[in-house]
Amino acid sequence: MSTTTETTATADTAAELTDGYHLVVDALKLNDVRTIYGVVGIPITDVARVAQASGIRYIGFRHESDAGHAAAAAGFLTKKPGICLTVSAPGFLNGLVALANATTNCFPMVQISGSSERHIVDLKRGDYEELDQLAAAQPFTKAAYRVNRVEDIGRGIARAIRTAVSGRPGGVYLDIPAAVLGQVIDAAAGAATLRRLIDPASRQLPAPEAVDRAIDLLASAQRPLLVLGKGAAYSQADKQIRAFIEATGVPFLPMSMAKGLLPDDHPQSVAKARSLALRRADVVMLVGARLNWLLAHGKPPKWSPTVRLIQVDISPTEMDSNRPIAAPVVADIGSAMSALLSKLKPGQIQPQSAWIKAIGERKQKNVEKMEARLNANPSPMNFSSALRAIRDVLNTRPDIYVVNEGANSLDFTRDIIDMREPRKRLDVGTWGVMGIGMGYAIGAAVTSGKSVVAIEGDSAFGFSGMEIETICRYSLPVVTIVFNNGGIYKGTDINFNGGADPAPTVFVSNARYDRLIEAFGGNGHHVTDQQSLTKALTDALASGKPALINCVIDPKAGTESGHIGNLNVTTKIGPRK
Ligand code: ADP
Ligand code: TZD
Ligand code: MG
């Protein structure tokens, strides 16, 4: 009898109290967070445990950069910030790479990190994992906040989420010191501090005169072009964008992560006549694409010296960053495209037929050139022949996510693998960063429940390769294809010193990446020709199980830095002993 009473008393007491750990989880849940990506340890292990117990999915990684990249991918795909959880100092810094990358790419993400004792850290008394994380995060993020009292957890999480997802999306850092996580308070009082965000990413309507200006400029064009960037893909305004493009007949160029927003085989796509379209267009409308290095800063000779520009972007300060924008449209893309559509009069925008014809002819010429390369069947395989086999399998599965990184592995894949559905391609993005591969693949698989094919250079794969254990642990439908040419760009460089050390760009030749995944119960395939590649990929996709295909590519295939070799600064002296 007395035992029963005691048990009830304990339960009652527990029900009346809460702590920082529970409030973090409750605040996230209240704002519809369903998944946390992280690596646990002091002081945040119990955040993950409490999250799991309360029905939030916790995906544990082997390295924080990968957890962060997964969260960033989730942010891009869902329009809600992906959440990454890290431990103090080194774990925080590992995650920060991904947070900075998310910010650079305009993906919404929140990194929540535990941190060490403030009164020790701030006097530099030497705490376990001591670092002023708030200060360290500031320059690399859209914003960085710290919660100093348990009753501010709800406010901190609400602020972090709204900051990440509103306006131009980006990465937000939220610092929660261990002591705050451990603070115990009255449960009802704690619950009262939580807040559910109302409309965290409000629509931003364009000014009517900005819309008129844009339409007038486009209507005055003879050779108009529309460039779709990953901001357009992110906006999920797929219907309005397609309707505007089809209503106007304006040719469009998808940036790499906007591929599939309209299908790559759409008759108005100029992806296969990119250089000609950019060089000759007289009016270009940028939709969620920055005029940065990926678009040669809008400068001749890649662009016409007299081109006039329209830019649709949520960020007013993006305008004029490189070339003057004649018609800025500051708005969210969905609202902007709806407004443009509603103001557009039938037949008002008419690209010259000679322009459409010139693009069509160039496309055909380039496709024929590419087909010749794709139809060759060299032994060992090169990038084109391997990608032809992969393309033929993926053509039957437009629902599959494609993650892609490397140098030559990136360029050839982007050009050869057509995308037919929006937001199905995730790649190295604005920074051209290596290491996103397994994180993005896991983020896409977890978010969508669909299959992912990660096409990876062997160097690129190495940055996050250990996460194949994570993929196996959670039985995710991820097929990783490693284009194994034995090195960074290629596997045949020599050491100019003639010594025993390998050249800076080369790896162990004939490495068996397929055996790595077998250590964790996944399926490894080692392929050296198109037929076995086709079979391995088909089987792997049909099984829905984790697989890794070690795809042997000629070590001589590949060029320095792929398509951006021109960015290497070389002198006539060159490397020497
Ligand atoms: P890409 O690399 O594909 O050319 P960028 O990352 O350079 O694309 O450009 C994306 C742009 O999209 C950024 O300038 C960003 O401000 C903008 N953007 C992101 N989301 C939205 C949105 N919902 N509405 C309008 N613009 C957006
Ligand atoms: N480190 C990081 C984080 N990002 C980078 N972009 C690089 C280093 C430099 N780098 C590139 O720009 S591409 C690349 C590196 C190391 C790898 C290219 O080799 P790969 O691809 O095997 O992945 P290919 O197919 O052999 O060209
Ligand atoms: Mg390589």
Side-chain angles (χ1 to χ4, degrees), residues 97 383 405-410 412 428 431-435 456-463 483-491 505 507 553 557-562 564:
V97 169
F383 291 99
E405 61 176 336
N408 296 278
S409 299
L410 176 86
F412 280 96
V428 300
W431 260 354
V433 67
M434 298 299 112
E456 303 271 310
D458 48 356
S459 165
F461 172 70
F463 286 77
F483 278 158
N484 187 350
N485 63 349
I488 298 177
Y489 317 138
K490 54 186 185 323
T505 56
F507 298 146
I553 301 285
T559 54
E560 180 102 353
S561 306
I564 53 171

Side-chain angles (χ1 to χ4, degrees), residues 431-564:
W431 260 354
V433 67
M434 298 299 112
I436 49 85
M438 298 300 102
Y440 278 9
I442 293 169
V446 166
T447 305
S448 69
K450 296 226 164 87
S451 290
V452 179
V453 172
I455 304 177
E456 303 271 310
D458 48 356
S459 165
F461 172 70
F463 286 77
S464 68
M466 193 64 200
E467 302 300 345
I468 53 178
E469 188 277 330
T470 309
I471 291 169
C472 290
R473 185 163 20 109
Y474 292 94
S475 297
L476 298 172
V478 175
V479 181
T480 303
I481 302 175
V482 178
F483 278 158
N484 187 350
N485 63 349
I488 298 177
Y489 317 138
K490 54 186 185 323
T492 50
D493 271 6
I494 50 151
N495 175 345
F496 288 126
N497 186 35
D501 280 350
T505 56
V506 306
F507 298 146
V508 165
S509 65
N510 303 313
R512 293 294 300 268
Y513 293 101
D514 50 309
R515 291 188 182 152
L516 290 177
I517 199 166
E518 289 171 356
F520 309 115
N523 294 320
H525 303 262
H526 175 71
V527 304
T528 55
D529 59 54
Q530 285 179 324
Q531 268 168 324
S532 43
L533 174 54
T534 303
K535 181 166 171 10
L537 181 56
T538 309
D539 291 352
L541 288 173
S543 80
K545 301 229 168 72
L548 189 148
I549 302 173
N550 180 45
C551 180
V552 177
I553 301 285
D554 188 344
K556 296 192 292 302
T559 54
E560 180 102 353
S561 306
H563 290 185
I564 53 171

Side-chain angles (χ1 to χ4, degrees), residues 10-23:
T10 314
D12 280 350
T13 313
E16 287 166 12
L17 295 176
T18 189
D19 59 19
Y21 295 105
H22 286 84
L23 286 172

